Amino acid sequence: MGKEIGSDLRGADLRGADLRCADLAGADLRGADLSDADLTCADLPGANLTGANLSGANLHSADLSGANLKGADLRGANLHCADLKGANLTDATLTGADLTAANLAGADLTGADLTGANLTGACLAGANLPA
């Protein structure tokens, strides 16, 4: 059984937090600082992470399906095997992020910065990619 976190965490300072297997489904994390946090296997479907700082965060195998990550900072984040199906990554910064084997089917990456991101084996079916 995972840890349950309150749903309103707007602007929260969660730098380096241990949130492995946390249930954050539908949580409001707009503008939250989750830099270097461990979110391995966390459940975040439908979460609002608009403008959140997730730089260096470990999101290995996290469920971010349908999440709103518009303008989020994911520099150097580990998104290996993460489920980002249908996620909004518009204008997100993904420089140096590990998206190996991530599911990005139907995700919106319009305006996203993917410089140096590893997309090896990622599913990009139906995704809107940056120009």
Side-chain angles (χ1 to χ4, degrees), residues 84-124:
L84 292 151
K85 183 178 181 180
N88 179 2
L89 290 152
T90 304
D91 299 324
T93 303
L94 292 149
T95 54
D98 182 3
L99 291 153
T100 306
N103 182 3
L104 290 156
D108 188 355
L109 292 149
T110 305
D113 183 352
L114 293 164
T115 306
N118 185 351
L119 292 158
T120 304
C123 176
L124 296 165

PDB file of all heavy atoms in Angstrom, residues 84-124:
ATOM      1  N   LEU A  84       3.537   8.465 -19.467  1.00  0.00           N
ATOM      2  CA  LEU A  84       3.164   9.858 -19.729  1.00  0.00           C
ATOM      3  C   LEU A  84       2.110   9.918 -20.833  1.00  0.00           C
ATOM      4  O   LEU A  84       1.969  10.925 -21.525  1.00  0.00           O
ATOM      5  CB  LEU A  84       4.405  10.654 -20.142  1.00  0.00           C
ATOM      6  CG  LEU A  84       5.434  10.856 -19.026  1.00  0.00           C
ATOM      7  CD1 LEU A  84       6.833  10.973 -19.583  1.00  0.00           C
ATOM      8  CD2 LEU A  84       5.080  12.068 -18.199  1.00  0.00           C
ATOM      9  N   LYS A  85       1.350   8.851 -20.976  1.00  0.00           N
ATOM     10  CA  LYS A  85       0.334   8.773 -22.022  1.00  0.00           C
ATOM     11  C   LYS A  85      -0.661   9.927 -21.851  1.00  0.00           C
ATOM     12  O   LYS A  85      -1.253  10.112 -20.791  1.00  0.00           O
ATOM     13  CB  LYS A  85      -0.396   7.440 -21.943  1.00  0.00           C
ATOM     14  CG  LYS A  85      -1.414   7.243 -23.042  1.00  0.00           C
ATOM     15  CD  LYS A  85      -2.068   5.882 -22.948  1.00  0.00           C
ATOM     16  CE  LYS A  85      -3.063   5.695 -24.065  1.00  0.00           C
ATOM     17  NZ  LYS A  85      -3.711   4.381 -23.994  1.00  0.00           N
ATOM     18  N   GLY A  86      -0.815  10.718 -22.931  1.00  0.00           N
ATOM     19  CA  GLY A  86      -1.765  11.820 -22.918  1.00  0.00           C
ATOM     20  C   GLY A  86      -1.384  12.982 -22.023  1.00  0.00           C
ATOM     21  O   GLY A  86      -2.197  13.879 -21.789  1.00  0.00           O
ATOM     22  N   ALA A  87      -0.151  13.013 -21.529  1.00  0.00           N
ATOM     23  CA  ALA A  87       0.282  14.103 -20.651  1.00  0.00           C
ATOM     24  C   ALA A  87       0.504  15.389 -21.442  1.00  0.00           C
ATOM     25  O   ALA A  87       0.844  15.368 -22.624  1.00  0.00           O
ATOM     26  CB  ALA A  87       1.569  13.722 -19.921  1.00  0.00           C
ATOM     27  N   ASN A  88       0.303  16.520 -20.773  1.00  0.00           N
ATOM     28  CA  ASN A  88       0.556  17.829 -21.363  1.00  0.00           C
ATOM     29  C   ASN A  88       1.949  18.279 -20.921  1.00  0.00           C
ATOM     30  O   ASN A  88       2.148  18.642 -19.766  1.00  0.00           O
ATOM     31  CB  ASN A  88      -0.494  18.842 -20.908  1.00  0.00           C
ATOM     32  CG  ASN A  88      -0.253  20.224 -21.493  1.00  0.00           C
ATOM     33  OD1 ASN A  88       0.677  20.437 -22.267  1.00  0.00           O
ATOM     34  ND2 ASN A  88      -1.093  21.169 -21.113  1.00  0.00           N
ATOM     35  N   LEU A  89       2.897  18.230 -21.857  1.00  0.00           N
ATOM     36  CA  LEU A  89       4.271  18.650 -21.594  1.00  0.00           C
ATOM     37  C   LEU A  89       4.617  19.901 -22.403  1.00  0.00           C
ATOM     38  O   LEU A  89       5.772  20.177 -22.693  1.00  0.00           O
ATOM     39  CB  LEU A  89       5.237  17.513 -21.928  1.00  0.00           C
ATOM     40  CG  LEU A  89       5.164  16.315 -20.971  1.00  0.00           C
ATOM     41  CD1 LEU A  89       5.553  15.033 -21.655  1.00  0.00           C
ATOM     42  CD2 LEU A  89       6.027  16.560 -19.756  1.00  0.00           C
ATOM     43  N   THR A  90       3.597  20.689 -22.744  1.00  0.00           N
ATOM     44  CA  THR A  90       3.790  21.912 -23.507  1.00  0.00           C
ATOM     45  C   THR A  90       4.764  22.835 -22.774  1.00  0.00           C
ATOM     46  O   THR A  90       4.606  23.091 -21.578  1.00  0.00           O
ATOM     47  CB  THR A  90       2.442  22.640 -23.692  1.00  0.00           C
ATOM     48  OG1 THR A  90       1.511  21.750 -24.298  1.00  0.00           O
ATOM     49  CG2 THR A  90       2.594  23.875 -24.557  1.00  0.00           C
ATOM     50  N   ASP A  91       5.774  23.290 -23.508  1.00  0.00           N
ATOM     51  CA  ASP A  91       6.777  24.232 -22.983  1.00  0.00           C
ATOM     52  C   ASP A  91       7.566  23.691 -21.792  1.00  0.00           C
ATOM     53  O   ASP A  91       8.201  24.459 -21.060  1.00  0.00           O
ATOM     54  CB  ASP A  91       6.133  25.577 -22.613  1.00  0.00           C
ATOM     55  CG  ASP A  91       5.499  26.261 -23.806  1.00  0.00           C
ATOM     56  OD1 ASP A  91       6.045  26.160 -24.917  1.00  0.00           O
ATOM     57  OD2 ASP A  91       4.433  26.893 -23.632  1.00  0.00           O
ATOM     58  N   ALA A  92       7.550  22.381 -21.565  1.00  0.00           N
ATOM     59  CA  ALA A  92       8.337  21.783 -20.479  1.00  0.00           C
ATOM     60  C   ALA A  92       9.811  21.740 -20.868  1.00  0.00           C
ATOM     61  O   ALA A  92      10.165  21.660 -22.045  1.00  0.00           O
ATOM     62  CB  ALA A  92       7.837  20.377 -20.175  1.00  0.00           C
ATOM     63  N   THR A  93      10.679  21.799 -19.869  1.00  0.00           N
ATOM     64  CA  THR A  93      12.117  21.690 -20.090  1.00  0.00           C
ATOM     65  C   THR A  93      12.538  20.280 -19.716  1.00  0.00           C
ATOM     66  O   THR A  93      12.455  19.885 -18.552  1.00  0.00           O
ATOM     67  CB  THR A  93      12.886  22.718 -19.233  1.00  0.00           C
ATOM     68  OG1 THR A  93      12.400  24.027 -19.538  1.00  0.00           O
ATOM     69  CG2 THR A  93      14.366  22.648 -19.500  1.00  0.00           C
ATOM     70  N   LEU A  94      12.964  19.511 -20.726  1.00  0.00           N
ATOM     71  CA  LEU A  94      13.348  18.112 -20.539  1.00  0.00           C
ATOM     72  C   LEU A  94      14.811  17.893 -20.926  1.00  0.00           C
ATOM     73  O   LEU A  94      15.202  16.779 -21.270  1.00  0.00           O
ATOM     74  CB  LEU A  94      12.437  17.208 -21.368  1.00  0.00           C
ATOM     75  CG  LEU A  94      10.983  17.145 -20.896  1.00  0.00           C
ATOM     76  CD1 LEU A  94      10.032  16.910 -22.054  1.00  0.00           C
ATOM     77  CD2 LEU A  94      10.820  16.062 -19.859  1.00  0.00           C
ATOM     78  N   THR A  95      15.628  18.938 -20.859  1.00  0.00           N
ATOM     79  CA  THR A  95      17.028  18.802 -21.244  1.00  0.00           C
ATOM     80  C   THR A  95      17.725  17.780 -20.355  1.00  0.00           C
ATOM     81  O   THR A  95      17.634  17.831 -19.135  1.00  0.00           O
ATOM     82  CB  THR A  95      17.765  20.161 -21.162  1.00  0.00           C
ATOM     83  OG1 THR A  95      17.583  20.718 -19.867  1.00  0.00           O
ATOM     84  CG2 THR A  95      17.267  21.129 -22.194  1.00  0.00           C
ATOM     85  N   GLY A  96      18.376  16.821 -21.015  1.00  0.00           N
ATOM     86  CA  GLY A  96      19.112  15.790 -20.295  1.00  0.00           C
ATOM     87  C   GLY A  96      18.254  14.789 -19.554  1.00  0.00           C
ATOM     88  O   GLY A  96      18.767  13.973 -18.793  1.00  0.00           O
ATOM     89  N   ALA A  97      16.948  14.797 -19.766  1.00  0.00           N
ATOM     90  CA  ALA A  97      16.059  13.855 -19.071  1.00  0.00           C
ATOM     91  C   ALA A  97      16.194  12.462 -19.681  1.00  0.00           C
ATOM     92  O   ALA A  97      16.450  12.300 -20.874  1.00  0.00           O
ATOM     93  CB  ALA A  97      14.609  14.319 -19.166  1.00  0.00           C
ATOM     94  N   ASP A  98      16.030  11.440 -18.850  1.00  0.00           N
ATOM     95  CA  ASP A  98      16.056  10.055 -19.312  1.00  0.00           C
ATOM     96  C   ASP A  98      14.624   9.587 -19.514  1.00  0.00           C
ATOM     97  O   ASP A  98      13.903   9.337 -18.544  1.00  0.00           O
ATOM     98  CB  ASP A  98      16.771   9.157 -18.295  1.00  0.00           C
ATOM     99  CG  ASP A  98      16.856   7.711 -18.756  1.00  0.00           C
ATOM    100  OD1 ASP A  98      16.421   7.397 -19.890  1.00  0.00           O
ATOM    101  OD2 ASP A  98      17.353   6.886 -17.973  1.00  0.00           O
ATOM    102  N   LEU A  99      14.213   9.487 -20.770  1.00  0.00           N
ATOM    103  CA  LEU A  99      12.867   9.041 -21.132  1.00  0.00           C
ATOM    104  C   LEU A  99      12.927   7.660 -21.784  1.00  0.00           C
ATOM    105  O   LEU A  99      12.053   7.286 -22.550  1.00  0.00           O
ATOM    106  CB  LEU A  99      12.221  10.060 -22.074  1.00  0.00           C
ATOM    107  CG  LEU A  99      11.886  11.411 -21.427  1.00  0.00           C
ATOM    108  CD1 LEU A  99      11.890  12.525 -22.442  1.00  0.00           C
ATOM    109  CD2 LEU A  99      10.548  11.332 -20.722  1.00  0.00           C
ATOM    110  N   THR A 100      13.968   6.896 -21.459  1.00  0.00           N
ATOM    111  CA  THR A 100      14.136   5.562 -22.015  1.00  0.00           C
ATOM    112  C   THR A 100      12.907   4.710 -21.719  1.00  0.00           C
ATOM    113  O   THR A 100      12.482   4.606 -20.566  1.00  0.00           O
ATOM    114  CB  THR A 100      15.391   4.876 -21.423  1.00  0.00           C
ATOM    115  OG1 THR A 100      16.518   5.719 -21.604  1.00  0.00           O
ATOM    116  CG2 THR A 100      15.637   3.532 -22.074  1.00  0.00           C
ATOM    117  N   ALA A 101      12.326   4.123 -22.758  1.00  0.00           N
ATOM    118  CA  ALA A 101      11.171   3.223 -22.648  1.00  0.00           C
ATOM    119  C   ALA A 101       9.943   3.890 -22.020  1.00  0.00           C
ATOM    120  O   ALA A 101       9.044   3.208 -21.542  1.00  0.00           O
ATOM    121  CB  ALA A 101      11.537   1.952 -21.886  1.00  0.00           C
ATOM    122  N   ALA A 102       9.898   5.217 -22.023  1.00  0.00           N
ATOM    123  CA  ALA A 102       8.730   5.930 -21.487  1.00  0.00           C
ATOM    124  C   ALA A 102       7.574   5.851 -22.484  1.00  0.00           C
ATOM    125  O   ALA A 102       7.782   5.784 -23.691  1.00  0.00           O
ATOM    126  CB  ALA A 102       9.080   7.387 -21.206  1.00  0.00           C
ATOM    127  N   ASN A 103       6.357   5.867 -21.969  1.00  0.00           N
ATOM    128  CA  ASN A 103       5.167   5.872 -22.818  1.00  0.00           C
ATOM    129  C   ASN A 103       4.702   7.313 -22.970  1.00  0.00           C
ATOM    130  O   ASN A 103       4.129   7.881 -22.049  1.00  0.00           O
ATOM    131  CB  ASN A 103       4.058   5.015 -22.202  1.00  0.00           C
ATOM    132  CG  ASN A 103       2.823   4.961 -23.078  1.00  0.00           C
ATOM    133  OD1 ASN A 103       2.808   5.516 -24.183  1.00  0.00           O
ATOM    134  ND2 ASN A 103       1.788   4.311 -22.600  1.00  0.00           N
ATOM    135  N   LEU A 104       4.947   7.885 -24.151  1.00  0.00           N
ATOM    136  CA  LEU A 104       4.554   9.260 -24.456  1.00  0.00           C
ATOM    137  C   LEU A 104       3.450   9.283 -25.512  1.00  0.00           C
ATOM    138  O   LEU A 104       3.239  10.301 -26.177  1.00  0.00           O
ATOM    139  CB  LEU A 104       5.772  10.050 -24.940  1.00  0.00           C
ATOM    140  CG  LEU A 104       6.829  10.350 -23.868  1.00  0.00           C
ATOM    141  CD1 LEU A 104       8.187  10.587 -24.495  1.00  0.00           C
ATOM    142  CD2 LEU A 104       6.417  11.532 -23.033  1.00  0.00           C
ATOM    143  N   ALA A 105       2.745   8.181 -25.654  1.00  0.00           N
ATOM    144  CA  ALA A 105       1.678   8.096 -26.654  1.00  0.00           C
ATOM    145  C   ALA A 105       0.634   9.180 -26.393  1.00  0.00           C
ATOM    146  O   ALA A 105       0.118   9.308 -25.293  1.00  0.00           O
ATOM    147  CB  ALA A 105       1.027   6.719 -26.623  1.00  0.00           C
ATOM    148  N   GLY A 106       0.361   9.978 -27.429  1.00  0.00           N
ATOM    149  CA  GLY A 106      -0.649  11.020 -27.313  1.00  0.00           C
ATOM    150  C   GLY A 106      -0.256  12.202 -26.460  1.00  0.00           C
ATOM    151  O   GLY A 106      -1.075  13.085 -26.209  1.00  0.00           O
ATOM    152  N   ALA A 107       0.988  12.257 -26.009  1.00  0.00           N
ATOM    153  CA  ALA A 107       1.437  13.378 -25.183  1.00  0.00           C
ATOM    154  C   ALA A 107       1.639  14.624 -26.047  1.00  0.00           C
ATOM    155  O   ALA A 107       1.950  14.534 -27.233  1.00  0.00           O
ATOM    156  CB  ALA A 107       2.741  13.034 -24.468  1.00  0.00           C
ATOM    157  N   ASP A 108       1.451  15.791 -25.443  1.00  0.00           N
ATOM    158  CA  ASP A 108       1.669  17.057 -26.139  1.00  0.00           C
ATOM    159  C   ASP A 108       3.001  17.635 -25.700  1.00  0.00           C
ATOM    160  O   ASP A 108       3.147  18.079 -24.560  1.00  0.00           O
ATOM    161  CB  ASP A 108       0.534  18.039 -25.849  1.00  0.00           C
ATOM    162  CG  ASP A 108       0.614  19.289 -26.713  1.00  0.00           C
ATOM    163  OD1 ASP A 108       1.599  19.460 -27.469  1.00  0.00           O
ATOM    164  OD2 ASP A 108      -0.330  20.102 -26.641  1.00  0.00           O
ATOM    165  N   LEU A 109       3.985  17.611 -26.602  1.00  0.00           N
ATOM    166  CA  LEU A 109       5.328  18.114 -26.327  1.00  0.00           C
ATOM    167  C   LEU A 109       5.602  19.410 -27.095  1.00  0.00           C
ATOM    168  O   LEU A 109       6.748  19.792 -27.288  1.00  0.00           O
ATOM    169  CB  LEU A 109       6.361  17.047 -26.695  1.00  0.00           C
ATOM    170  CG  LEU A 109       6.346  15.801 -25.802  1.00  0.00           C
ATOM    171  CD1 LEU A 109       6.757  14.570 -26.561  1.00  0.00           C
ATOM    172  CD2 LEU A 109       7.226  16.021 -24.602  1.00  0.00           C
ATOM    173  N   THR A 110       4.538  20.102 -27.517  1.00  0.00           N
ATOM    174  CA  THR A 110       4.678  21.349 -28.256  1.00  0.00           C
ATOM    175  C   THR A 110       5.506  22.350 -27.447  1.00  0.00           C
ATOM    176  O   THR A 110       5.202  22.618 -26.286  1.00  0.00           O
ATOM    177  CB  THR A 110       3.288  21.960 -28.556  1.00  0.00           C
ATOM    178  OG1 THR A 110       2.485  20.989 -29.226  1.00  0.00           O
ATOM    179  CG2 THR A 110       3.414  23.200 -29.425  1.00  0.00           C
ATOM    180  N   GLY A 111       6.566  22.849 -28.052  1.00  0.00           N
ATOM    181  CA  GLY A 111       7.403  23.853 -27.388  1.00  0.00           C
ATOM    182  C   GLY A 111       8.324  23.293 -26.319  1.00  0.00           C
ATOM    183  O   GLY A 111       9.041  24.045 -25.670  1.00  0.00           O
ATOM    184  N   ALA A 112       8.328  21.984 -26.119  1.00  0.00           N
ATOM    185  CA  ALA A 112       9.190  21.371 -25.097  1.00  0.00           C
ATOM    186  C   ALA A 112      10.642  21.385 -25.554  1.00  0.00           C
ATOM    187  O   ALA A 112      10.940  21.269 -26.742  1.00  0.00           O
ATOM    188  CB  ALA A 112       8.739  19.941 -24.811  1.00  0.00           C
ATOM    189  N   ASP A 113      11.562  21.530 -24.602  1.00  0.00           N
ATOM    190  CA  ASP A 113      12.997  21.495 -24.893  1.00  0.00           C
ATOM    191  C   ASP A 113      13.498  20.090 -24.570  1.00  0.00           C
ATOM    192  O   ASP A 113      13.564  19.702 -23.396  1.00  0.00           O
ATOM    193  CB  ASP A 113      13.733  22.535 -24.056  1.00  0.00           C
ATOM    194  CG  ASP A 113      15.223  22.606 -24.375  1.00  0.00           C
ATOM    195  OD1 ASP A 113      15.726  21.748 -25.142  1.00  0.00           O
ATOM    196  OD2 ASP A 113      15.884  23.510 -23.849  1.00  0.00           O
ATOM    197  N   LEU A 114      13.822  19.324 -25.617  1.00  0.00           N
ATOM    198  CA  LEU A 114      14.278  17.942 -25.471  1.00  0.00           C
ATOM    199  C   LEU A 114      15.779  17.807 -25.722  1.00  0.00           C
ATOM    200  O   LEU A 114      16.273  16.712 -25.956  1.00  0.00           O
ATOM    201  CB  LEU A 114      13.507  17.033 -26.431  1.00  0.00           C
ATOM    202  CG  LEU A 114      12.018  16.876 -26.135  1.00  0.00           C
ATOM    203  CD1 LEU A 114      11.285  16.288 -27.332  1.00  0.00           C
ATOM    204  CD2 LEU A 114      11.804  16.003 -24.913  1.00  0.00           C
ATOM    205  N   THR A 115      16.524  18.908 -25.634  1.00  0.00           N
ATOM    206  CA  THR A 115      17.954  18.884 -25.883  1.00  0.00           C
ATOM    207  C   THR A 115      18.644  17.869 -24.971  1.00  0.00           C
ATOM    208  O   THR A 115      18.531  17.944 -23.740  1.00  0.00           O
ATOM    209  CB  THR A 115      18.572  20.282 -25.649  1.00  0.00           C
ATOM    210  OG1 THR A 115      17.875  21.243 -26.436  1.00  0.00           O
ATOM    211  CG2 THR A 115      20.048  20.289 -26.000  1.00  0.00           C
ATOM    212  N   GLY A 116      19.308  16.903 -25.582  1.00  0.00           N
ATOM    213  CA  GLY A 116      20.057  15.909 -24.816  1.00  0.00           C
ATOM    214  C   GLY A 116      19.204  14.877 -24.091  1.00  0.00           C
ATOM    215  O   GLY A 116      19.724  14.071 -23.334  1.00  0.00           O
ATOM    216  N   ALA A 117      17.899  14.875 -24.320  1.00  0.00           N
ATOM    217  CA  ALA A 117      17.021  13.885 -23.678  1.00  0.00           C
ATOM    218  C   ALA A 117      17.212  12.522 -24.339  1.00  0.00           C
ATOM    219  O   ALA A 117      17.428  12.431 -25.543  1.00  0.00           O
ATOM    220  CB  ALA A 117      15.561  14.316 -23.781  1.00  0.00           C
ATOM    221  N   ASN A 118      17.149  11.470 -23.561  1.00  0.00           N
ATOM    222  CA  ASN A 118      17.275  10.112 -24.077  1.00  0.00           C
ATOM    223  C   ASN A 118      15.885   9.538 -24.294  1.00  0.00           C
ATOM    224  O   ASN A 118      15.157   9.286 -23.334  1.00  0.00           O
ATOM    225  CB  ASN A 118      18.073   9.240 -23.097  1.00  0.00           C
ATOM    226  CG  ASN A 118      18.335   7.848 -23.654  1.00  0.00           C
ATOM    227  OD1 ASN A 118      17.804   7.461 -24.690  1.00  0.00           O
ATOM    228  ND2 ASN A 118      19.164   7.106 -22.949  1.00  0.00           N
ATOM    229  N   LEU A 119      15.516   9.341 -25.561  1.00  0.00           N
ATOM    230  CA  LEU A 119      14.201   8.822 -25.922  1.00  0.00           C
ATOM    231  C   LEU A 119      14.296   7.392 -26.476  1.00  0.00           C
ATOM    232  O   LEU A 119      13.366   6.921 -27.130  1.00  0.00           O
ATOM    233  CB  LEU A 119      13.541   9.740 -26.946  1.00  0.00           C
ATOM    234  CG  LEU A 119      13.143  11.113 -26.418  1.00  0.00           C
ATOM    235  CD1 LEU A 119      13.008  12.116 -27.544  1.00  0.00           C
ATOM    236  CD2 LEU A 119      11.863  11.021 -25.623  1.00  0.00           C
ATOM    237  N   THR A 120      15.386   6.694 -26.186  1.00  0.00           N
ATOM    238  CA  THR A 120      15.577   5.339 -26.682  1.00  0.00           C
ATOM    239  C   THR A 120      14.430   4.437 -26.237  1.00  0.00           C
ATOM    240  O   THR A 120      14.145   4.325 -25.046  1.00  0.00           O
ATOM    241  CB  THR A 120      16.924   4.758 -26.165  1.00  0.00           C
ATOM    242  OG1 THR A 120      17.982   5.632 -26.539  1.00  0.00           O
ATOM    243  CG2 THR A 120      17.157   3.374 -26.719  1.00  0.00           C
ATOM    244  N   GLY A 121      13.773   3.828 -27.194  1.00  0.00           N
ATOM    245  CA  GLY A 121      12.691   2.888 -26.893  1.00  0.00           C
ATOM    246  C   GLY A 121      11.416   3.522 -26.400  1.00  0.00           C
ATOM    247  O   GLY A 121      10.489   2.822 -25.993  1.00  0.00           O
ATOM    248  N   ALA A 122      11.322   4.846 -26.425  1.00  0.00           N
ATOM    249  CA  ALA A 122      10.114   5.534 -25.972  1.00  0.00           C
ATOM    250  C   ALA A 122       8.995   5.369 -27.008  1.00  0.00           C
ATOM    251  O   ALA A 122       9.250   5.346 -28.206  1.00  0.00           O
ATOM    252  CB  ALA A 122      10.380   7.011 -25.739  1.00  0.00           C
ATOM    253  N   CYS A 123       7.771   5.255 -26.531  1.00  0.00           N
ATOM    254  CA  CYS A 123       6.602   5.176 -27.409  1.00  0.00           C
ATOM    255  C   CYS A 123       6.113   6.603 -27.658  1.00  0.00           C
ATOM    256  O   CYS A 123       5.704   7.289 -26.724  1.00  0.00           O
ATOM    257  CB  CYS A 123       5.495   4.347 -26.770  1.00  0.00           C
ATOM    258  SG  CYS A 123       3.989   4.324 -27.763  1.00  0.00           S
ATOM    259  N   LEU A 124       6.183   7.031 -28.923  1.00  0.00           N
ATOM    260  CA  LEU A 124       5.799   8.396 -29.293  1.00  0.00           C
ATOM    261  C   LEU A 124       4.586   8.403 -30.221  1.00  0.00           C
ATOM    262  O   LEU A 124       4.296   9.423 -30.853  1.00  0.00           O
ATOM    263  CB  LEU A 124       6.982   9.107 -29.968  1.00  0.00           C
ATOM    264  CG  LEU A 124       8.215   9.319 -29.078  1.00  0.00           C
ATOM    265  CD1 LEU A 124       9.420   9.680 -29.913  1.00  0.00           C
ATOM    266  CD2 LEU A 124       7.942  10.369 -28.027  1.00  0.00           C
TER     267      LEU A 124
END
